[in-house]
Amino acid sequence: METKILEQLVAITGSQYAKTTAAQKLAYSYDATPNFQAMPDVILSPGSTEDIQAIVKVCATHRIPIISRGSGTNLAAGTVPTAGGVVLLFNRMNQLLELDEGNLTITVQPGMITSEINALVEPKGLFYPPDPSSMNISTIGGNVSENSGGLRGLKYGVTRDYVKGLTIVLPNGELLKTGGKLAKDVAGYDLTSLYVGSEGTLGVITEITLSLIPAPASKQTLLAFYNHLEEAAEAVSSIIAAKIIPTTLEFMDKGTIETVEDFMNIGLPTDCEAMLLIEQDGDPLIVEKDMALMHQLCMEQGATSTQHAQTEVEAEQLRIGRRSALSALARKRPTTILEDATVPRSEIANMVKAIQQIADKYDLVICTFGHAGDGNLHPTCLTDARDQEEMLRVEAAFSEIFEHAIQLGGTITGEHGVGEMKSPYLEWKVGAAGMEVMRNIKKAVDPLQIMNPGKIFAKDTKKRVVVQHG
Amino acid sequence: MASVQTADIRQAFVTHVDDNRLMDCMRCGFCLPACPTYIHSDQDETQSPRGRIALMKAVRDGTIAWDGSIEEAFDLCLGCRACEPACPAGVQYGILIEETREAIQSVKKQSLKERIVRKGAFEHLFADQRKMKTAVNLVTFYQKSGLQKVVRKIGFLELFPPFMKEMEQILPEPAKRSRPSMDKAQVQVKVAFFAGCLMDTLFQETNRRTIELLEKFGCEVVIPKGQQCCGALHGHSGELDKARRNARSNLAAFDVVGVDFIVNNAGGCGAFLAEYDQLLEQDPVLATKAQQFTAKQIDISSLLVKLGAVAYLESLPATASTELVTYQDSCHLRNVNGVKEPPRDILKAVKDCTFVELPGADLCCGSAGIYNVLQPEMASRILASKMMEVKGVQASTIITTNPGCLLQMKVGIEREGLSATTRALHLVDFMYEKVR
Ligand SMILES: Cc1cc2nc3c(=O)[nH]c(=O)nc-3n(C[C@H](O)[C@H](O)[C@H](O)COP(=O)(O)OP(=O)(O)OC[C@H]3O[C@@H](n4cnc5c(N)ncnc54)[C@H](O)[C@@H]3O)c2cc1C
Ligand code: SF4
Ligand code: SF4
């Protein structure tokens, strides 16, 4: 970047809010995605929407890439500045703008940490359900841009279901306001939804209005342990078939249980093959009834034992355990590559089985955990990025896993987004026509291609590896 | 900045910093909310555990040219190790930062200020317990002789960094030796007491009380002669060889087999002693002894709780006094030794005080060895926010379990003008008050 442009940009925020040292550039050259790294030219912390408009205008004039970055916890290289440019931080824009109890909405700046939203609304008896496992670190701007889901997704849906309105700085520096507090609003294209999950490629989100719901009156937590993966998967299917919608229905396999226990020491049995974490919330009588029935279904499908959380502290420990699963798996091998394959819920057992077979075929260690209740699995390969031969096998195995997921009617990402890492696979899911519409939207909104370039849209689509009998 | 060649420093990193430990970090960021320097730098990823590990890796891999900004990121780390229990992946950050500092020390020419502090501290004061005593005697003389008053008047201390000036104000009064006042109980266990260099000089009185308390709760206490500073200050600053030297003297001084526990009353030392096994892992002669030594480490609060102090305190009659007491964790005691509840259990058991949890008690107070001398700005920011919390809970007594933290709390109290209403005490001194 030319010094003159750099000076212009730094002048907008003031030098105390600009990072330019070698160490700082390196510290913003990666996110939680393995094997991606690239240096930005400068890192800026704007203090307001106006600051961002000014920055975007300078960048548009000189065609400089802008990478919006929350906490860099995404798993798709969405914030790696692979084309250089400006990394925008929201650490100064993390304030509550309005809590509207009359309309059950909260309006916040994008840098607010996700879990803080609940800390703000809970005292009022309100509740913001989306809870990605990273919620103590991730920002709400990142959640909206990735359309993140979480442990409560089965009953309450994902971030999209709660985003009511957005303020966005467009790639030309102009301001767009979408949606609002209205419960009903069908005027024109649903631009709010277009921006949810757009991964910073269509503009910079600077204000977010979310809907809230009344906090559930009670909650119960149950663990069920199995000697066979299939039995756990069948239990999931039978719960869904019994027309119960639990808040949480999470799956962990043996390898995952072992590592989580290693980190947490909460007494999980490490000799079982699979575990379900089940929660229900709501009216105490209904919760009681649902839990009893789910317990019975779990036993019928062959659970070797079950365990009720006795206190909220104990329940929270179990949730933290599940949320730490991915990071805890990093204990086993140097590199941890997680995927986000999602299938219809009825296909969970088939998918889990297929993942095991594919792991065996390529001689790899793949542990699986995930949101079994909504079909969203996280097969996680424990490998070593320094071993090139093994990395080739990893890539082949994941291609096959995606392929299989799509064959079962699934998708390549349930909640983590496409970013740069999964861009070569997007066409598999949305087809040529889908890619064409998306490309045209991108071209229309961001003709100069300055908003997070290189993300979502790949240079090449991966060839499908398995094309036999579909 | 002294000129350090990128190639040299890279080679030093390759030699000293373990690649496999670096690879353990999967960059999930779970450690970020636990890290005081990340929080107090307005969430600068450079000042986070994840960022520092990425920097270590980049220097080692040669993907970044060495400059002052990288060095600063390492210097600003408190070494409080709050990132370790927060990390699901089990990254051994403490070892990584020590190895990093060792690598840097091995090539770097230090600034004059740092050289003087280091030489004075590591090669004399903290290397030899007798020198430490002499130094403290000088301070005592200085306080007693009236020189202190004169010096304060002429503003001589303006010449020193602000922190030194404050240290001078808060140095404890020279100990007036009080006579033992507690009965001994029947001996249940035999313990060796690690006296600690600062504890044994500046806080001699606290050490004496520690021993009395131990005896009251049924310990036979031996104080091995020839013990030295644990070596933590050396180790944390990249002088691992000097730390090993001290560790070897201590292993020689302590009879590991003949005692049930080796007890300490300083969180920072305790953590370092508990890792002698790692420090001397490669030592052909002493590795096994170091493991035994490590296995017997215990801190005073855990041992007292084990020996029934909680029930005893609860059995004491209540008085009318209602003191509001809070507790600042010693980072190392909490993060390395995992001791969280015992000090709190003791405070909760004392009848004539009310215990309030200090919000953010688990976050480092900014003392961290000689951090507050070398990084006064960040240390001040951290301390200021700590004192905000203290004011918030309106505690009249702040309890600590480490001499560094105790001094830091005292500095905080002075700075905020709270000395009329708030005091800082070592847990042992507080308990001693109550038990008598
Ligand atoms: C251990 C672990 C567990 C996880 N668990 C889950 C989970 O359960 N469910 C889930 O869905 N995800 C999960 N994730 C993925 C990740 O945490 C989420 O995608 C999260 O929403 C990212 O938030 P962030 O603030 O870190 O955003 P970042 O990673 O910084 O950014 C994510 C994307 O959003 C864009 N962006 C950020 N802010 C803005 C803005 N203001 N305007 C425009 N674009 C913006 C970025 O450009 C980028 O493309 C997990 C990640 C980890 C490491
Ligand atoms: S929590 Fe552990 S693995 Fe995750 S970024 Fe921090 S050090 Fe790395
Ligand atoms: S040791 Fe403390 S200051 Fe250093 S990175 Fe870890 S948490 Fe942060």
Side-chain angles (χ1 to χ4, degrees):
Chain A
M1 188 183 286
E2 285 171 41
T3 322
K4 228 177 61 213
I5 306 173
L6 182 66
E7 279 167 6
Q8 266 179 39
L9 287 168
V10 170
I12 297 170
T13 57
S15 58
Q16 74 269 41
Y17 298 118
K19 299 182 166 75
T20 51
T21 67
Q24 288 168 327
K25 287 182 195 175
L26 190 110
Y28 291 91
S29 66
Y30 59 84
D31 54 31
T33 324
N35 286 334
F36 280 85
Q37 187 154 24
M39 300 278 242
D41 293 304
V42 60
I43 302 107
L44 298 174
S45 296
S48 65
T49 301
E50 292 72 36
D51 281 0
I52 296 177
Q53 287 181 283
I55 292 167
V56 170
K57 281 180 185 153
V58 173
C59 289
T61 309
H62 303 284
R63 303 207 171 189
I64 294 163
I66 299 175
I67 300 93
S68 297
R69 179 183 169 110
S71 298
T73 69
N74 77 90
L75 297 159
T79 47
V80 180
T82 43
V86 177
V87 166
L88 271 194
L89 302 181
F90 303 94
N91 57 328
R92 290 172 70 205
M93 294 177 66
N94 58 1
Q95 300 300 308
L96 169 69
L97 299 175
E98 186 195 35
L99 176 53
D100 182 347
E101 290 182 69
N103 286 306
L104 292 185
T105 61
I106 185 171
T107 303
V108 298
Q109 291 184 309
M112 182 173 281
I113 301 296
T114 313
S115 60
E116 205 169 297
I117 297 177
N118 269 320
L120 285 171
V121 305
E122 263 163 22
K124 316 255 177 205
L126 295 171
F127 180 46
Y128 173 69
D131 61 338
S133 299
S134 51
M135 68 178 178
N136 287 328
I137 316 135
S138 68
T139 64
I140 189 65
N143 289 179
V144 171
S145 303
E146 295 284 5
N147 193 5
S148 303
L151 300 194
R152 300 191 279 245
L154 178 54
K155 181 164 174 179
Y156 293 109
V158 295
T159 305
R160 176 199 295 121
D161 302 305
Y162 298 86
V163 182
K164 305 229 47 157
L166 296 171
T167 301
I168 298 144
V169 174
L170 293 172
N172 61 8
E174 269 163 38
L175 215 56
L176 167 70
K177 285 185 185 267
T178 75
K181 292 182 191 170
L182 295 176
K184 286 184 171 177
D185 182 356
V186 296
Y189 291 161
D190 184 354
L191 293 180
T192 308
S193 283
L194 175 62
Y195 273 89
V196 176
S198 65
E199 305 188 30
T201 62
L202 298 177
V204 182
I205 299 171
T206 66
E207 281 181 30
I208 299 162
T209 300
L210 300 163
S211 59
L212 302 170
I213 60 172
S218 76
K219 187 168 190 173
Q220 283 192 30
T221 307
L222 171 75
L223 293 183
F225 305 100
Y226 294 88
N227 277 338
H228 301 280
L229 292 174
E230 289 81 10
E231 292 167 345
E234 289 303 337
V236 172
S237 303
S238 67
I239 288 170
I240 306 281
K243 302 198 172 53
I244 302 175
I245 302 194
T247 312
T248 298
L249 190 41
E250 293 287 313
F251 172 86
M252 296 205 287
D253 71 0
K254 185 183 174 67
T256 315
I257 299 170
E258 275 169 11
T259 50
V260 166
E261 178 56 24
D262 201 19
F263 170 49
M264 300 278 298
N265 297 310
I266 43 179
L268 299 176
T270 46
D271 55 352
C272 65
E273 284 296 318
M275 179 191 116
L276 294 177
L277 167 69
I278 302 169
E279 297 200 284
Q280 182 60 303
D281 63 8
D283 181 87
L285 288 174
I286 297 176
V287 170
E288 194 67 45
K289 198 176 115 242
D290 283 355
M291 290 305 278
L293 182 54
M294 285 194 283
H295 183 255
Q296 187 197 329
L297 291 170
C298 285
M299 295 308 286
E300 280 169 16
Q301 295 301 336
T304 49
S305 66
T306 58
Q307 183 188 324
H308 278 273
Q310 296 304 323
T311 60
E312 174 52 28
V313 176
E314 203 182 313
E316 183 59 15
Q317 288 279 305
L318 297 172
R319 274 174 241 135
I320 293 174
R322 163 58 190 85
R323 288 190 193 119
S324 313
L326 166 60
S327 317
L329 280 170
R331 287 169 184 253
K332 293 210 164 176
R333 291 285 307 278
T335 312
T336 317
I337 303 182
L338 160 135
E339 272 314 333
D340 191 22
T342 302
V343 292
R345 314 192 257 232
S346 54
E347 300 290 354
I348 284 279
N350 286 333
M351 191 65 213
V352 169
K353 235 182 294 171
I355 292 168
Q356 273 320 309
Q357 281 161 4
I358 294 167
D360 291 345
K361 173 173 163 190
Y362 289 98
D363 193 18
L364 294 169
V365 180
I366 300 185
C367 291
T368 302
F369 60 94
H371 316 287
D374 42 46
N376 184 191
L377 291 173
H378 295 313
T380 302
C381 188
L382 310 181
T383 174
D384 187 339
R386 293 168 294 190
D387 183 340
Q388 299 207 338
E389 184 275 329
E390 183 167 313
M391 290 309 283
L392 288 176
R393 281 186 279 130
V394 173
E395 200 178 327
F398 273 125
S399 286
E400 214 168 302
I401 288 173
F402 291 145
E403 180 75 26
H404 205 84
I406 291 173
Q407 275 176 14
L408 292 173
T411 180
I412 58 167
T413 170
E415 57 177 19
H416 290 166
V418 179
E420 185 144 334
M421 184 179 181
K422 248 171 305 184
S423 58
Y425 300 99
L426 182 60
E427 189 170 339
W428 294 16
K429 167 61 187 162
V430 301
M435 288 309 297
E436 188 61 16
V437 173
M438 289 190 195
R439 269 204 198 90
N440 283 332
I441 293 174
K442 171 76 176 169
K443 258 186 230 150
V445 180
D446 181 20
L448 301 173
Q449 307 272 345
I450 58 169
M451 286 290 164
N452 212 356
K455 312 300 156 67
I456 299 186
F457 304 99
K459 288 189 204 82
D460 305 299
T461 292
K462 279 257 152 99
K463 296 236 174 352
R464 292 216 196 182
V465 266
V466 187
V467 211
Q468 359 68 309
H469 40 261
Chain B
M1 248 287 298
S3 66
V4 169
Q5 297 301 313
T6 296
D8 296 344
I9 194 96
R10 180 182 178 192
Q11 188 48 51
F13 268 64
V14 171
T15 310
H16 294 283
V17 186
D18 183 5
D19 188 34
N20 286 317
R21 284 203 186 98
L22 288 173
M23 291 292 284
D24 285 342
C25 173
M26 51 95 64
R27 312 195 291 205
C28 63
F30 273 39
C31 51
L32 302 185
C35 174
T37 55
Y38 177 70
I39 296 168
H40 290 289
S41 61
D42 294 326
Q43 297 155 13
D44 184 349
E45 189 82 32
T46 323
Q47 309 304 342
S48 79
R50 180 169 74 165
R52 293 188 175 114
I53 294 169
L55 283 168
M56 292 170 196
K57 193 161 164 32
V59 175
R60 195 180 189 281
D61 294 349
T63 47
I64 191 170
W66 182 255
D67 76 4
S69 68
I70 305 169
E71 194 174 348
E72 187 193 32
F74 298 135
D75 285 349
L76 273 172
C77 173
L78 291 155
C80 71
R81 296 173 67 173
C83 42
E84 278 183 52
C87 171
V91 171
Q92 295 174 293
Y93 181 86
I95 301 181
L96 283 172
I97 190 76
E98 277 174 14
E99 289 175 346
T100 296
R101 288 181 171 162
E102 189 180 26
I104 297 171
Q105 284 312 317
S106 74
V107 275
K108 217 189 97 181
K109 292 201 185 70
Q110 295 142 7
S111 74
L112 187 64
K113 172 177 153 195
E114 205 178 332
R115 253 191 351 252
I116 292 171
V117 174
R118 273 175 187 274
K119 200 168 166 62
F122 298 152
E123 275 164 36
H124 300 292
L125 222 45
F126 292 100
D128 184 338
Q129 192 63 359
R130 275 170 317 176
K131 283 190 186 148
M132 179 67 115
K133 286 214 165 109
T134 316
V136 171
N137 285 340
L138 267 178
V139 174
T140 312
F141 168 73
Y142 165 79
Q143 288 173 329
K144 273 193 184 154
S145 62
L147 200 59
Q148 188 171 33
K149 278 197 201 117
V150 179
V151 166
R152 279 185 185 168
K153 228 185 202 150
I154 61 171
F156 172 67
L157 288 153
E158 299 300 331
L159 296 171
F160 290 91
F163 181 77
M164 299 285 254
K165 222 163 57 190
E166 283 163 344
M167 279 301 262
E168 189 270 345
Q169 281 170 16
I170 53 123
L171 281 178
E173 289 289 308
K176 285 191 217 74
R177 287 195 152 266
S178 52
R179 234 169 272 125
S181 56
M182 281 192 282
D183 301 332
K184 298 182 185 183
Q186 211 188 341
V187 172
Q188 301 176 32
V189 292
K190 187 169 176 187
V191 302
F193 180 54
F194 181 81
C197 45
L198 267 184
M199 289 305 296
D200 206 29
T201 45
L202 281 184
F203 298 106
Q204 249 177 39
E205 193 57 13
T206 307
N207 267 5
R208 203 184 49 72
R209 290 173 182 158
T210 304
I211 294 161
E212 265 194 71
L213 277 175
L214 284 169
E215 287 174 345
K216 175 167 183 66
F217 287 98
C219 296
E220 181 193 338
V221 185
V222 289
I223 309 167
K225 288 215 172 55
Q227 50 174 305
Q228 299 293 348
C229 163
C230 62
L233 281 176
H234 315 75
H236 298 160
S237 315
E239 314 259 1
L240 280 173
D241 281 340
K242 292 183 186 137
R244 283 191 198 100
R245 172 198 65 194
N246 280 23
R248 289 195 185 100
S249 322
N250 282 329
L251 285 179
F254 279 80
D255 164 23
V256 184
V257 185
V259 296
D260 299 301
F261 296 106
I262 299 168
V263 63
N264 67 78
N265 61 7
C269 311
F272 205 75
L273 297 171
E275 290 182 340
Y276 272 8
D277 57 341
Q278 285 174 17
L279 190 67
L280 295 175
E281 212 169 32
Q282 313 288 347
D283 191 306
V285 186
L286 287 173
T288 316
K289 189 164 187 203
Q291 277 168 13
Q292 295 165 337
F293 183 86
T294 287
K296 292 210 168 150
Q297 289 302 316
I298 192 164
D299 81 289
I300 181 75
S301 69
S302 304
L303 183 55
L304 288 174
V305 168
K306 249 188 218 291
L307 296 171
V310 169
Y312 175 81
L313 286 169
E314 281 168 348
S315 74
L316 293 179
T319 62
S321 122
T322 50
E323 195 178 0
L324 216 53
V325 176
T326 195
Y327 174 62
Q328 165 63 38
D329 282 285
S330 146
C331 301
H332 287 102
L333 183 61
R334 182 181 175 122
N335 299 325
V336 181
N337 301 94
V339 176
K340 185 182 156 201
E341 294 306 334
R344 289 176 169 80
D345 290 343
I346 288 175
L347 293 174
K348 284 177 195 161
V350 172
K351 279 239 178 77
D352 52 1
C353 77
T354 309
F355 174 74
V356 276
E357 181 69 32
L358 184 68
D362 57 336
L363 283 182
C364 177
C365 63
S367 150
I370 50 172
Y371 188 88
N372 34 20
V373 182
L374 296 175
Q375 302 292 343
E377 199 194 319
M378 179 65 91
S380 294
R381 222 181 300 169
I382 292 173
L383 180 58
S385 84
K386 185 62 67 189
M387 295 320 286
M388 281 272 292
E389 300 288 5
V390 168
K391 283 187 197 163
V393 295
Q394 300 186 316
S396 55
T397 305
I398 313 169
I399 303 297
T400 65
T401 41
N402 184 52
C405 313
L406 181 55
L407 289 174
Q408 180 81 339
M409 288 298 108
K410 289 180 179 223
V411 170
I413 289 170
E414 266 314 300
R415 261 190 216 178
E416 302 289 325
L418 295 175
S419 45
T421 52
T422 315
R423 60 180 187 155
L425 279 184
H426 193 289
L427 180 71
V428 163
D429 292 316
F430 183 72
M431 196 169 157
Y432 192 81
E433 262 180 25
K434 305 298 165 186
V435 164
R436 274 192 300 171

